[in-house]
Amino acid sequence: MYKSPSRLPEEARSAVAQTLNARLADGLDLHSQIKVAHWNIKGPQFAALHPLFETFAVSLANHNDSIAERAVTLGGRAYGTARHVAERSRLPEYPQETSRDLEHVVLLAERIELYLDGARESRALGEEHGDTDTVDLLTGIVTELEKHAWFLRASLE
Ligand SMILES: [Fe+2]
């Protein structure tokens, strides 16, 4: 572990940095899957969903960056190559032959919900270790991605 401006003990910083890396792997994987949906979507809902998926991707890219930088701030490292992410992400692979608009909506909703499970687990671990700042970061992310999951689920009703 590197030196850190955080006052948390090294054991806590190490545990939190590790869980943040798990979220980084999921988040980078999810980002690539959202872009695949953004590029390949076809159907009557194209005009609404193509730009909506892009807003999800842009917001997630920022969250991934914040998560990586939090891990390093705590004295850890940030792991994020495509090969590393492919081994560790909890998301299933995206069926890249999908084209129909609402099929993409279902696939992305499922994957955002899986991402959220991980974010809540990491937040609970941050709480256990008294890392209010990581908890705060993850709460912001959970709130926004729950909203995105709602957008998708609402499109299916
Ligand atoms: Fe684009």
Side-chain angles (χ1 to χ4, degrees), residues 35 38-39 50 54:
K35 292 296 289 199
H38 168 75
W39 294 323
H50 173 74
E54 180 63 11

